[in-house]
Amino acid sequence: MIVALIIACEVGFWVLLAAGLAVRYLLGMRRTSVVLLLCEPVLELVLFVVTAIDLRNGADPSWEHGLAALYIGFTVAYGHYTIRWLDGHAAHRLTGAPPPPKPPRYGMARARHEGALWLRTVLMAAVACALLQAAVWYVGDGDTESLRSFQWVALRVAGIHGLVALTYTVWPKKDPGQLKEETGSALPARDPEHVPDVLVRRTGKDEEQVR
């Protein structure tokens, strides 16, 4: 039941999002689109309430309840970000508005972008862990092993994402265009003694005769 409801909430999220953008940019009904988009959090609220009722009715805590907590945490952290990203692209495609700015690809700007995404993942993990801990307290002396295991899943996801984001700070990706300007070539400059012999033009016969 919980898994089916999660799928229904995910489908409902995209249906409401598509309807909201269509009403805004194709029909020009901005207020109606706002109402549709504001219905998005209601889906997570319904999932939360149903999960709590399921536990209250004596259901054994399982991976389904843990998955529901992760899903709610993800939508809280990334839901608005996804809506804003798609809204920018819809405005560009349907009304000729300027295209939304692309995320940076190189240097410390890319590192800051990845760090901001990681903070969203931290928020996702925090929300999921808080909901799972509330469920643990609610169940009391019952078997809560599956709920605690999903807390570790959320923490591991945040930890792995953090390590990936850190690599962009420790080893920032360089812009090939800037590298070419600095070195005069797309390849890093080398000392003459390090250039392979095959890259050095050999002396021609005419030059040997002149010598």
Side-chain angles (χ1 to χ4, degrees):
M1 176 183 175
I2 300 298
V3 174
L5 185 57
I6 292 174
I7 296 174
C9 288
E10 180 67 11
V11 173
F13 174 87
W14 291 105
V15 169
L16 286 174
L17 179 56
L21 295 178
V23 167
R24 171 175 295 187
Y25 295 111
L26 296 180
L27 302 180
M29 302 170 65
R30 187 173 184 85
R31 291 185 178 179
T32 304
S33 70
V34 171
V35 172
L36 289 173
L37 294 177
L38 287 177
C39 290
E40 300 280 7
V42 177
L43 298 175
E44 283 66 54
L45 180 61
V46 170
L47 179 59
F48 173 77
V49 171
V50 172
T51 303
I53 293 175
D54 191 47
L55 290 173
R56 182 178 182 180
N57 290 337
D60 293 330
S62 65
W63 64 271
E64 297 177 350
H65 302 97
L67 183 62
L70 289 181
Y71 177 80
I72 294 174
F74 179 83
T75 52
V76 169
Y78 283 94
H80 179 71
Y81 175 83
T82 303
I83 293 174
R84 186 177 59 185
W85 182 81
L86 288 175
D87 182 66
H89 282 277
H92 171 59
R93 295 288 184 181
L94 301 177
T95 66
K102 295 182 179 180
R105 299 177 59 187
Y106 307 105
M108 295 308 298
R110 175 65 182 273
R112 288 190 293 270
H113 173 72
E114 295 295 333
L117 291 181
W118 173 67
L119 290 178
R120 291 184 178 275
T121 302
V122 171
L123 175 60
M124 179 274 294
V127 171
C129 287
L131 292 176
L132 290 167
Q133 187 59 45
V136 168
W137 290 335
Y138 185 76
V139 173
D141 297 333
D143 184 10
T144 59
E145 184 64 27
S146 61
L147 299 178
R148 295 190 182 279
S149 67
F150 268 87
Q151 286 182 318
W152 285 110
V153 169
L155 294 176
R156 282 198 297 268
V157 170
I160 293 173
H161 191 178
L163 291 176
V164 173
L166 183 62
T167 60
Y168 289 93
T169 301
V170 179
W171 300 288
K173 190 175 181 181
K174 295 185 178 180
D175 186 347
Q178 183 180 1
L179 183 61
K180 185 176 181 179
E181 292 178 0
E182 294 176 353
T183 63
S185 171
L187 297 175
R190 298 181 178 180
D191 295 332
E193 62 270 19
H194 294 157
V195 177
D197 294 338
V198 295
L199 299 181
V200 179
R201 186 173 62 86
R202 297 184 181 278
T203 305
K205 293 183 179 181
D206 295 338
E207 293 177 347
E208 291 179 355
Q209 292 176 359
V210 172
R211 292 180 181 178

